[in-house]
C-alpha cells in the first residue's frame, strides 16, 4: 500500500485532493496548520489531521497542496526529513521552475497540473456539465512532469495525478519548463488576459444601451461557434466580412511583439512575480 501525506489538506485544493484520495486504496495522512482548515477537512472528508513528523515518517509520497508562494517554505521545512526515494508531488510548475525546491538528489520531484474540463464537450449528466473546474464528474486532461527521480517513479506520479484529479480523460507528459509555458504563459498571461479584455469589450457595448443580458448572450454564443471553428472542433468557414474584421482587428488589438510573452526570460519573470 502506498502511503501519501497531504500537506495543506484543509485548503481549497487540499480538500479536493483529500476527497478524491479517500476513494482510492492509498493510505493517506493529512497535515494542516490552521484550525479553520482542520475543521473544514473534518467537515468535508471526515478525517483528522496528524503532525508533520508522523505524516512523513513512512510516507512514500508527499503531496504539497499549498499555494505557490508557500511551496518553497514548506518544502524546505520537510525535505531534509524525508526518507530516501520519497516522491514530492507539486501541483503547479511555478515554484519548481523558479528554483524554489530544495536540492536533494535521492528524492523524486513530480509536478502535475489539471487541464480542467474543455469548453467543447458532450457530457450526458448534469453533474459533469456543471463541473467546470474538474475533479468531480467531468473527465479532464492532466499534464505531468518528472522533474527528477528514477523513470519508474513516473508511473507512480501518474497514478497519484489520476487519483487527485479524477475523473481523468488522459494524461500528457511534458517537462517542467514546458508546463511553465502552458501556465502561466498560455493559460493565464494570454487566455485569462484576453478573456478579461472580452468582458471589458462587452461592457463597452452595454454602455451604448444594449442590455447586459443581450450583450452577454451574443458574445458567449459567438465565442462558442467561432471557437469551435478556429480550434477545429467543427468544420466551417467564416464569412468574408468576418475574415476582414479579423485581419484589421488583430493589429488594432495586439502589439506586433505580443508573442514575446513566450520568451523564456519573460516566462521566468512572470513566475517570479507570482512566487
Amino acid at each position: 500500500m502506498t502511503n501519501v501525506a497531504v500537506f495543506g489538506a484543509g485548503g481549497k485544493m487540499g480538500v479536493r485532493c483529500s476527497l478524491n484520495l479517500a476513494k482510492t486504496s492509498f493510505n493517506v495522512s493529512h497535515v494542516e496548520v490552521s484550525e479553520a482548515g482542520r475543521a473544514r477537512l473534518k467537515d468535508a472528508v471526515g478525517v483528522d489531521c496528524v503532525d508533520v513528523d508522523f505524516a512523513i515518517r513512512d510516507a512514500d509520497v508527499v503531496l504539497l497542496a499549498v499555494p505557490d508562494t508557500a511551496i518553497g517554505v514548506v518544502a524546505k521545512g520537510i525535505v531534509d526529513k524525508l526518507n530516501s526515494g520519497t516522491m514530492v508531488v507539486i501541483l503547479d510548475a511555478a515554484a519548481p521552475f523558479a528554483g524554489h525546491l530544495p536540492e536533494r538528489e535521492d528524492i523524486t520531484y513530480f509536478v502535475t497540473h489539471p487541464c480542467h474540463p474543455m469548453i467543447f464537450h458532450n457530457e450526458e449528466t448534469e453533474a459533469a456539465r456543471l463541473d467546470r473546474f474538474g475533479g468531480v464528474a467531468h473527465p479532464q486532461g492532466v499534464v505531468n512532469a518528472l522533474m527528477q527521480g528514477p523513470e519508474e517513479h513516473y508511473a507512480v506520479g501518474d497514478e497519484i495525478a489520476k487519483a487527485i484529479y479524477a475523473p481523468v480523460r488522459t494524461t500528457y507528459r511534458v517537462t517542467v519548463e514546458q508546463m511553465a509555458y502552458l501556465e502561466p504563459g498560455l493559460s493565464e498571461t494570454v487566455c485569462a488576459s484576453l478573456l478579461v479584455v472580452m468582458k471589458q469589450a462587452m461592457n463597452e457595448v452595454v454602455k451604448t444601451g444594449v442590455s447586459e443580458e443581450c450583450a452577454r448572450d451574443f458574445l458567449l454564443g459567438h465565442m462558442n461557434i467561432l471557437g469551435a471553428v478556429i480550434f477545429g472542433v467543427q468544420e466551417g468557414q467564416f464569412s468574408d466580412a468576418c475574415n476582414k474584421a479579423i485581419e484589421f482587428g488583430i493589429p488594432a488589438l495586439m502589439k506586433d511583439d505580443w508573442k514575446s510573452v513566450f520568451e523564456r526570460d519573460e516566462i521566468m519573470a512572470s513566475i517570479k512575480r507570482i512566487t
Side-chain angles (χ1 to χ4, degrees):
M1 181 177 293
T2 301
N3 296 318
V4 180
V6 180
F7 280 68
K12 184 183 296 185
M13 197 61 210
V15 169
R16 286 178 176 271
C17 292
S18 297
L19 279 169
N20 278 346
L21 285 170
K23 304 172 186 176
T24 71
S25 61
F26 292 118
N27 182 38
V28 185
S29 299
H30 305 82
V31 177
E32 173 57 52
V33 296
S34 75
E35 289 298 328
R38 292 183 181 187
R40 188 183 306 116
L41 182 71
K42 181 69 172 180
D43 290 341
V45 190
V47 296
D48 295 310
C49 291
V50 299
D51 64 44
V52 172
D53 290 337
F54 181 86
I56 65 177
R57 183 178 60 192
D58 297 315
D60 302 298
V61 176
V62 172
L63 192 156
L64 301 183
V66 298
D68 290 334
T69 53
I71 286 176
V73 174
V74 174
K76 288 175 183 177
I78 65 171
V79 162
D80 287 344
K81 302 177 182 179
L82 299 180
N83 297 323
S84 180
T86 301
M87 173 182 290
V88 178
V89 176
I90 305 98
L91 305 183
D92 191 279
F97 188 60
H100 295 323
L101 298 178
E103 292 187 12
R104 184 173 167 185
E105 295 182 356
D106 64 334
I107 65 170
T108 294
Y109 283 132
F110 187 90
V111 188
T112 181
H113 196 78
C115 296
H116 303 298
M118 289 194 295
I119 293 175
F120 308 112
H121 60 83
N122 192 29
E123 298 303 316
E124 295 183 358
T125 67
E126 183 178 15
R129 291 192 294 271
L130 295 179
D131 181 17
R132 298 184 178 93
F133 186 88
V136 178
H138 191 145
Q140 63 179 326
V142 174
V143 182
N144 296 328
L146 182 63
M147 183 175 182
Q148 72 171 48
E151 177 60 28
E152 56 266 25
H153 275 191
Y154 180 84
V156 178
D158 189 66
E159 186 179 3
I160 294 290
K162 289 176 179 176
I164 62 176
Y165 298 132
V168 171
R169 184 184 69 256
T170 188
T171 58
Y172 304 95
R173 185 170 183 175
V174 298
T175 65
V176 172
E177 181 170 338
Q178 288 170 334
M179 195 181 294
Y181 282 98
L182 291 169
E183 184 165 306
L186 183 61
S187 63
E188 296 174 343
T189 303
V190 176
C191 183
S193 297
L194 292 180
L195 287 171
V196 169
V197 169
M198 283 193 281
K199 176 60 165 58
Q200 292 173 345
M202 189 195 84
N203 293 341
E204 292 300 307
V205 173
V206 171
K207 290 178 182 178
T208 70
V210 176
S211 72
E212 183 172 347
E213 182 180 10
C214 173
R216 185 174 182 272
D217 199 345
F218 200 84
L219 176 61
L220 295 182
H222 278 74
M223 284 174 63
N224 187 34
I225 182 57
L226 293 173
V229 173
I230 290 171
F231 285 93
V233 176
Q234 179 172 318
E235 291 186 7
Q237 292 185 341
F238 293 159
S239 66
D240 291 342
C242 182
N243 286 326
K244 186 63 67 174
I246 294 170
E247 179 184 348
F248 283 86
I250 290 177
L253 295 170
M254 308 294 290
K255 294 180 179 179
D256 290 340
D257 64 345
W258 72 267
K259 293 179 183 177
S260 64
V261 298
F262 288 106
E263 293 177 359
R264 193 180 191 279
D265 289 345
E266 180 53 37
I267 292 290
M268 180 61 78
S270 177
I271 284 176
K272 288 183 176 180
R273 288 193 289 268
I274 64 177
T275 59

